Amino acid sequence: MKFKSALMTQASGSTGGLVASHNRGGMYFRARSIPVNPGSAQQQTVRSAMTNLVTAWSQTLTTAQRAAWEVYATNVPVVNAVGDTIQLSGINMYCRSNVSRIQVGVNPVNDGPTTFDTGSFTPVLFTADPVTPQYQVTIDNSDAWANEDDAFMLVYGSRPQGVGINYFKGPYRKVDGFSGSAASPPVNAQTCVPSFTFTTGQKIFLQVRVSRADGRLSGIQRISDES
């Protein structure tokens, strides 16, 4: 459980039977629940990726490579769950940058990035089509990642929600990945097969982020659409 200030104006995590969370209205507490399927295939992929990356950090990466990740982490702060800017360790940044790559079948990057930012991309547009059904995603293929070999955009989707829900924290499931290419960038109009069945009158949330060829992982764009 993380909390900020004596009045607990910001909190994240769980303690006992309570979970601290937040939405557009601010912080709130809810009862802790056990995930319906804590051992799904995607969760197993992430856990395996984390295990392999931690092993690689100590057994595969050279001293120079580990030092480069430490330098990158020192120069690139990130925002935590309660909105504070923090600095990760080198191994934390290495894992943060590479789990997503492993999820889409791309080799991890062992050399620490020498450009000190997380990269950026043009916000995407999103329509949830319940008839097909599919997600229609519009990207900007003039972005740097789209014209770079071994870079990609990763899309995660939520279970369908009620239209009155305006903020969805998770969990999200990986939906698709669009590969960048110097020779043939992806087209602007992309379609994704949903991970969950949805119908008219429901709301879908997406998370979108980009991994650059040098291992930089962008922040998350959160978007939603009513089907």
Side-chain angles (χ1 to χ4, degrees):
M1 166 67 71
K2 296 179 183 178
F3 64 92
K4 183 176 180 179
S5 91
L7 296 178
M8 202 178 291
T9 57
Q10 295 188 44
S12 176
S14 63
T15 181
L18 290 178
V19 176
S21 189
H22 65 278
N23 57 25
R24 295 179 64 182
M27 192 194 76
Y28 67 94
F29 288 92
R30 59 178 172 80
R32 186 176 186 179
S33 60
I34 299 174
V36 175
N37 183 13
S40 69
Q42 292 208 26
Q43 287 171 316
Q44 294 288 0
T45 297
V46 172
R47 291 169 187 161
S48 176
M50 285 295 295
T51 298
N52 292 337
L53 289 169
V54 169
T55 300
W57 175 266
S58 62
Q59 298 184 13
T60 302
L61 270 64
T62 65
T63 300
Q65 287 174 321
R66 290 193 293 270
W69 280 103
E70 294 286 359
V71 171
Y72 177 68
T74 298
N75 284 277
V76 183
V78 297
V79 178
N80 68 9
V82 295
D84 290 332
T85 299
I86 62 171
Q87 283 188 321
L88 299 179
S89 66
I91 187 173
N92 289 155
M93 187 66 86
Y94 173 69
C95 292
R96 173 190 181 273
S97 296
N98 282 306
V99 165
S100 294
R101 299 181 68 84
I102 293 174
Q103 277 188 294
V104 293
V106 180
N107 290 330
V109 175
N110 288 338
D111 294 333
T114 55
T115 300
F116 296 144
D117 60 41
T118 57
S120 61
F121 61 95
T122 302
V124 307
L125 302 177
F126 159 57
T127 301
D129 179 4
V131 177
T132 311
Q134 64 185 13
Y135 302 150
Q136 299 171 350
V137 178
T138 302
I139 69 172
D140 186 342
N141 66 2
S142 67
D143 279 356
W145 74 268
N147 293 271
E148 182 176 76
D149 294 335
D150 206 29
F152 66 91
M153 174 177 282
L154 190 61
V155 180
Y156 301 84
S158 73
R159 293 181 183 273
Q161 303 295 311
V163 294
I165 302 297
N166 294 317
Y167 179 86
F168 183 78
K169 184 177 181 180
Y172 288 84
R173 180 178 293 180
K174 182 177 70 69
V175 174
D176 210 341
F178 312 136
S179 299
S181 170
S184 181
V187 297
N188 289 329
Q190 297 284 341
T191 58
C192 305
V193 178
S195 296
F196 301 103
T197 301
F198 66 100
T199 187
T200 302
Q202 296 177 322
K203 181 177 283 189
I204 305 297
F205 292 81
L206 293 189
Q207 286 188 345
V208 182
R209 67 194 321 172
V210 162
S211 174
R212 300 295 298 273
D214 63 359
R216 287 176 292 155
L217 182 67
S218 75
I220 296 172
Q221 179 195 1
R222 294 177 173 86
I223 47 179
S224 64
D225 186 58
E226 295 180 16
S227 59

